[in-house]
Amino acid sequence: MSTVSVKFNYLTGLKINIFKNARLVGSWDKDGFYSDNWSSVPMQQVMGDDGCPSFRAKIKFDSSQIGYNFQWGVVLDTPNEHDLWGIATEVNDHNSKERYRTFRLDKNNGGIQKEQYYLTHCKRLGANKYYRASSSTKPSIKFSVWAPNAKKVALVFGNIKHGYIADDGTGIDNSIPPISMFYTKDGIWRTDENKYPILKNFSRFDHKPYMFKITQKTGKVVYRTDLYSRCQIGGGKYDPQGAAYTGDIKELDGTKSCSVVVDPDSVTKHFTEPVWPETTFVSEKQFWKNEFPSGISLPKRIEDLVIYELHIGAIWNGSDRPGSLEDAMELIDYLKDLGINAVELLPINEFEGWAKWGYGSSHYFAIEYSAGGRDQFKHFVRKCHQNGIAVILDVVYNHYHHNAERAEWAYDSDVPEENIYYWYEGRSSDYPNANPPGHGGYVDNMSTGYAPRYYDEMVRKMFISSAAMLVEEFHVDGFRVDQTTSIHSYNVLHADGRKASQANIFGAKFLRELTGSLKLVNPEIMLVAEDHSKWDMITKPLSAGGLNFDAAWYANFYHQLIGDTGRGTDFANLLRTAGYGGDIPLAMDSFQEVLSESSQKKVVYHESHDEAGNSAHSLRTIRAAVNSAPLIGQTRNYAEARSRFCFGMSMLSAGTPMFLMGEEVGAEKDYTYDTFMQNRENIKQERRQEGKYLFKFYQDLIKFRYNHPAVKAHDIDIIHTHNANRVIAFLRREQKEELLVVASLNNHPFNSGYFIENPDLGSGLWKEVFNSDAGTYNGNNIGNLGSSIPSNNGRINVVIPACGFVVFSKVAAG
């Protein structure tokens, strides 16, 4: 019997050894014939030439099966789970959510057919160590780039002092001759160390600036950065626009600068090491050795988090430069004292200078260099972990940097439909009247750039691999994915606004692959979607066809509670309305709806980066609370009381609470994407001054949340609302604990008591355990003085402070 051999490889692209007992499964039987009953064989674990664990197996097929199409996959075990499906990539068909690989058995004339699956492309593309079988100790270096439309690709090196190669080649370091790359399958070009022996020593290229010289089909030559670069050398915002550059790398826009070879297996020993070039390193293993001192652990569930939204560039200590990772390191003790257990960082992937919000990445594997760079970020993460603080990154996959020249834009072709990183419908000739010319087939999605080409697996893998790299190399604990609605719902044709249904379908496919891949790599990863679609599939598991996120940002909670973005009467607008003064009724019944909905895997907030002055009509909470009146005397007292109410509703809801930096000290200046530098506030200083009472309140309520399991549960029961009285009351329950929250935005206290009647109260004794109006918060100390109050047949009478809330714990049943 003649046979045809097929060698299967499962490549992780990750150095962490998390998988074991891998089994190859496929649509063939033990004799090598096609079968609908899939067979299984063990795979051998080996160390791949990329230095990462991989798995392989060989199957002999009967030669009569040549021409048949087969399906295959891999089943894996991890330390805590068994029989996991190892293929995270879906079939590239808009009608399918299936996850398996396919191949056609070919006649290979005595050779061995190879089928491979890459869980990530972390080591497949970019500048990576390569371990030859003949030399297992000293790695060589391999450069790889995806450029399927290129006619020719060469690797060139830049000048370490200036870090830029002009369109005419000025800036190339000719001490290393250009290295021609060869074309392989899947549109990938690679270097060949046998042809260029200089590549056999990785250390020779460590910290070398480089670019890819791409010759397009037309013969036009362009210079492109490595989108898998671990570092972009530029630390400023100057764009030479293709001209020769002889300035300092500190002034150069990193999105246009040379990429840099770095060794991911070593870390700068000292945080204060000069930004460039670093000279003193320790091994990655040694660096992370003391990541968790004795007794320190991180929260493992999204419900356990109290999230502090932090923009590193907005940290201010009196200097005129944007905040840096060094400043963020110095803030950690402050955050620990505040009590939060998670920081959510605005985007820090390469994005053109640090005086920006970062929502427009160009290089997803690189950390914005002007803030300190990749190793400084590792120092930041380690110190956070040493203090029990999880690190969540905001990542942007709905568009690229607005000026992605030398990055994603026209990477290997000027033809719009060959713009490999961007979605394009049809051909450019289909849109003769497009503005700009040729742009009609691109896709808009309510972001600030065209939609990525989600239908191309290589594009999806770039995003997914960068996230996996951040988990593996930087020990990041979670991600907040920016505007996922733009990815799966908002896509429309640029030419005429018609719905781009295929882009939406493949956008959802990408999100499923992203969450599936990350949870395969780290089952404890925490994933949050900024999603405004009300689509119930966002947080459903893959097995139910969902997108597999742990929670979704809940903007409606903010709009109902605060309502300062001019959205009209569709929302309760509680704080905005109260801030106008007077005693008109408030729509507590409308707020009830979102408070109840917070139990459905939501991240809730009373302030985020989008609404603290950036959106039209929006203000910082403390200013919205009094309609921007001067914060002096009694006005400030009202402002702080109402601010305490808002934070309380977020913290005591059934969602995961988050708040923007500075809220804890009553930051009042507008926080906008273009003026935040002028409006920065010294929050550590404010804590010691006018913000001291709010800070104490935040501290205590955060501790209260940690100490009461009922607050972290999903169970919430709104038992009373009264619009004219501006009162809302709700129960929080968790097995052995039951809490009653009674809150009011009434300008006057209910000194003589306020009756609440609801059967769910039953009969029992309720002890007051928290009062937002306590004197320690500079309140009026109106409440129930910590006493125990009876409820009889579902009826209770409690004192409620003005613009505040009280919390009771049920200490005895009736």
Side-chain angles (χ1 to χ4, degrees):
M1 179 184 77
S2 63
T3 60
V4 177
S5 294
V6 179
K7 183 178 181 181
F8 295 87
N9 285 302
Y10 182 89
L11 302 104
T12 65
L14 303 168
K15 292 191 70 174
I16 48 178
N17 192 12
I18 52 177
F19 303 125
K20 61 181 181 179
N21 190 27
R23 286 138 285 159
L24 172 69
V25 295
S27 58
W28 55 81
D29 62 20
K30 62 182 180 62
D31 296 317
F33 290 88
Y34 181 89
S35 174
D36 289 328
N37 296 316
W38 288 28
S39 63
S40 173
V41 297
M43 302 186 80
Q44 178 188 7
Q45 181 171 346
V46 297
M47 188 62 67
D49 57 20
D50 58 1
C52 302
S54 62
F55 301 88
R56 66 188 183 191
K58 186 166 68 172
I59 300 293
K60 291 183 177 181
F61 291 86
D62 189 276
S63 59
S64 66
Q65 304 297 290
I66 292 174
Y68 276 65
N69 292 315
F70 292 88
Q71 301 170 358
W72 66 282
V74 174
V75 178
L76 304 155
D77 293 345
T78 65
N80 298 316
E81 296 183 83
H82 299 282
D83 299 329
L84 296 175
W85 186 245
I87 307 297
T89 307
E90 294 184 4
V91 175
N92 219 42
D93 180 342
H94 71 276
N95 290 317
S96 178
K97 297 178 184 176
E98 296 291 324
R99 292 177 288 130
Y100 56 79
R101 308 306 283 177
T102 62
F103 71 95
R104 182 180 184 274
L105 188 63
D106 295 327
K107 184 177 181 180
N108 51 33
N109 296 319
I112 297 179
Q113 185 171 335
K114 294 182 180 180
E115 298 297 329
Q116 301 186 120
Y117 175 72
Y118 293 86
L119 178 62
T120 75
H121 287 176
C122 294
K123 305 293 186 181
R124 188 183 188 190
L125 294 169
N128 292 293
K129 291 180 179 179
Y130 179 72
Y131 294 86
R132 308 180 310 279
S134 58
S135 178
S136 59
T137 56
K138 291 185 178 181
S140 58
I141 188 169
K142 181 172 66 175
F143 293 84
S144 305
V145 60
W146 182 53
N149 299 305
K151 182 179 180 181
K152 188 166 55 174
V153 179
L155 173 68
V156 294
F157 295 90
N159 184 296
I160 195 169
K161 183 178 180 180
H162 306 300
Y164 187 80
I165 297 174
D167 288 346
D168 64 1
T170 301
I172 291 177
D173 180 2
N174 290 311
S175 66
I176 304 178
I179 295 175
S180 296
M181 304 178 74
F182 69 97
Y183 184 81
T184 66
K185 63 182 298 187
D186 298 327
I188 294 174
W189 298 75
R190 292 196 176 101
T191 53
D192 183 354
E193 65 171 23
N194 293 317
K195 187 175 180 180
Y196 296 93
I198 191 175
L199 298 172
K200 292 184 177 181
N201 184 355
F202 176 90
S203 62
R204 178 168 182 172
F205 293 88
D206 195 5
H207 280 67
K208 288 283 188 185
Y210 67 97
M211 294 190 83
F212 296 117
K213 179 182 178 182
I214 295 177
T215 303
Q216 299 178 347
K217 292 176 182 177
T218 60
K220 179 181 177 181
V221 173
V222 295
Y223 291 91
R224 294 290 182 254
T225 58
D226 181 0
L227 298 183
Y228 279 70
S229 159
R230 298 297 208 277
C231 174
Q232 291 297 114
I233 197 172
K237 59 182 180 180
Y238 180 73
D239 178 7
Q241 298 184 3
Y245 179 72
T246 57
D248 195 296
I249 58 172
K250 293 179 181 178
E251 307 300 323
L252 181 62
D253 176 3
T255 71
K256 312 294 189 299
S257 72
C258 286
S259 302
V260 181
V261 176
V262 295
D263 183 355
D265 299 327
S266 62
V267 183
T268 306
K269 183 175 183 179
H270 304 292
F271 182 83
T272 54
E273 181 86 5
V275 172
W276 182 270
E278 302 95 341
T279 56
T280 309
F281 299 90
V282 296
S283 70
E284 188 178 41
K285 182 178 181 180
Q286 182 180 351
F287 176 81
W288 294 109
K289 183 177 180 180
N290 298 316
E291 182 179 6
F292 296 106
S294 177
I296 298 296
S297 61
L298 296 177
K300 300 298 184 184
R301 305 186 312 155
I302 200 97
E303 296 89 346
D304 296 330
L305 301 183
V306 175
I307 304 172
Y308 189 87
E309 190 181 26
L310 176 64
H311 178 198
I312 293 175
I315 300 172
W316 188 52
N317 56 13
S319 69
D320 60 357
R321 59 167 175 77
S324 67
L325 284 162
E326 182 176 359
D327 298 318
M329 287 272 285
E330 293 174 356
L331 194 65
I332 291 175
D333 289 341
Y334 167 93
L335 297 176
K336 182 180 181 181
D337 199 21
L338 176 60
I340 58 94
N341 60 8
V343 289
E344 180 183 306
L345 301 181
L346 266 62
I348 61 170
N349 295 118
E350 185 67 44
F351 62 80
E352 183 202 8
W354 201 237
K356 303 279 186 180
W357 275 9
Y359 289 93
S361 302
S362 62
H363 296 77
Y364 292 85
F365 290 76
I367 303 299
E368 174 58 46
Y369 213 71
S370 60
R374 57 181 282 112
D375 284 1
Q376 283 68 26
F377 180 50
K378 289 182 180 180
H379 279 272
F380 172 78
V381 173
R382 184 178 67 173
K383 186 172 181 181
C384 282
H385 287 178
Q386 288 170 341
N387 286 277
I389 298 173
V391 178
I392 298 171
L393 285 189
D394 202 339
V395 288
V396 186
Y397 302 140
N398 54 63
H399 69 288
Y400 306 110
H401 187 275
H402 69 279
N403 181 9
E405 171 68 21
R406 293 182 168 235
E408 289 83 10
W409 185 257
Y411 197 84
D412 63 358
S413 175
D414 285 332
V415 179
E417 52 265 39
E418 294 179 351
N419 201 348
I420 57 175
Y421 286 98
Y422 293 81
W423 192 289
Y424 197 89
E425 299 266 342
R427 306 185 67 81
S428 52
S429 58
D430 298 335
Y431 311 97
N433 300 316
N435 184 24
H439 282 229
Y442 290 114
V443 169
D444 300 316
N445 60 12
M446 294 181 69
S447 70
T448 57
Y450 293 139
R453 187 182 280 197
Y454 299 119
Y455 69 77
D456 202 307
E457 183 179 327
M458 296 295 287
V459 175
R460 303 197 301 270
K461 280 289 189 185
M462 179 181 72
F463 295 134
I464 293 166
S465 301
S466 67
M469 179 273 302
L470 288 164
V471 173
E472 180 192 33
E473 294 184 20
F474 294 87
H475 295 203
V476 166
D477 305 292
F479 297 96
R480 178 262 195 190
V481 182
D482 181 68
Q483 191 51 289
T484 51
T485 338
S486 291
I487 297 174
H488 67 74
S489 289
Y490 289 166
N491 293 291
V492 297
L493 198 63
H494 181 72
D496 55 20
R498 280 183 289 130
K499 189 173 183 179
S501 299
Q502 290 293 302
N504 288 333
I505 292 170
F506 276 90
K509 184 182 289 288
F510 157 64
L511 292 171
R512 289 190 296 270
E513 293 179 358
L514 172 71
T515 59
S517 298
L518 291 178
K519 291 191 176 184
L520 193 60
V521 172
N522 178 7
E524 295 180 341
I525 195 78
M526 292 176 279
L527 302 176
V528 178
E530 184 204 3
D531 202 272
H532 308 299
S533 66
K534 299 182 181 179
W535 190 22
D536 64 353
M537 301 304 286
I538 301 300
T539 55
K540 287 190 176 180
L542 295 179
S543 58
L547 300 190
N548 208 26
F549 283 93
D550 297 299
W553 259 35
Y554 195 27
N556 277 358
F557 186 92
Y558 165 86
H559 293 305
Q560 296 280 13
L561 177 61
I562 308 297
D564 64 346
T565 57
R567 291 177 178 249
T569 57
D570 290 341
F571 294 92
N573 305 317
L574 296 185
L575 185 67
R576 171 65 90 176
T577 307
Y580 289 141
D583 297 313
I584 65 171
L586 297 180
M588 310 304 283
D589 54 352
S590 293
F591 179 61
Q592 168 187 348
E593 297 176 10
V594 295
L595 188 59
S596 178
E597 185 70 16
S598 69
S599 65
Q600 303 301 307
K601 298 183 179 180
K602 303 294 186 184
V603 170
V604 299
Y605 51 91
H606 71 285
E607 198 70 280
S608 79
H609 69 276
D610 276 330
E611 294 95 4
N614 192 62
S615 298
H617 311 293
S618 67
L619 300 165
R620 276 287 197 168
T621 304
I622 200 167
R623 290 183 61 219
V626 289
N627 195 27
S628 296
L631 294 170
I632 55 176
Q634 191 66 10
T635 301
R636 184 173 187 95
N637 292 339
Y638 269 110
E640 290 199 8
R642 291 169 182 160
S643 296
R644 293 194 297 268
F645 172 94
C646 293
F647 183 58
M649 293 304 95
S650 175
M651 287 293 291
L652 299 171
S653 75
T656 298
M658 183 200 78
F659 59 97
L660 178 64
M661 61 186 294
E663 286 292 301
E664 72 281 4
V665 294
E668 58 182 275
K669 293 183 180 180
D670 285 349
Y671 174 77
T672 66
Y673 80 95
D674 55 350
T675 64
F676 75 85
M677 283 290 293
Q678 299 95 294
N679 290 337
R680 291 186 297 170
E681 299 176 67
N682 190 325
I683 56 179
K684 290 198 288 187
Q685 180 176 297
E686 285 296 320
R687 175 199 175 175
R688 298 189 295 269
Q689 298 174 356
E690 286 192 303
K692 61 184 178 182
Y693 296 114
L694 268 180
F695 188 91
K696 174 61 175 171
F697 169 75
Y698 271 66
Q699 273 186 319
D700 288 353
L701 192 54
I702 290 170
K703 289 177 184 176
F704 183 87
R705 181 178 176 88
Y706 294 152
N707 292 332
H708 291 273
V711 183
K712 295 181 285 186
H714 290 295
D715 190 306
I716 187 168
D717 181 11
I718 291 83
I719 61 171
H720 176 84
T721 61
H722 197 294
N723 292 352
N725 289 335
R726 299 179 165 192
V727 172
I728 188 168
F730 52 94
L731 295 169
R732 303 298 320 278
R733 303 186 186 93
E734 196 274 337
Q735 294 183 350
K736 298 180 180 180
E737 184 179 45
E738 188 170 5
L739 300 175
L740 168 64
V741 181
V742 185
S744 168
L745 269 178
N746 198 301
N747 294 319
H748 312 284
F750 293 93
N751 282 312
S752 301
Y754 185 93
F755 280 100
I756 297 172
E757 190 169 357
N758 189 288
D760 288 348
L761 280 171
S763 296
L765 202 60
W766 299 82
K767 179 177 174 58
E768 185 185 70
V769 291
F770 196 93
N771 182 359
S772 72
D773 198 46
T776 190
Y777 312 134
N778 202 32
N780 295 310
N781 218 24
I782 294 174
N784 304 273
L785 304 177
S787 62
S788 296
I789 299 173
S791 62
N792 296 302
N793 297 318
R795 183 177 170 87
I796 193 170
N797 184 27
V798 299
V799 174
I800 315 174
C803 300
F805 62 89
V806 285
V807 185
F808 301 86
S809 176
K810 194 170 189 177
V811 293

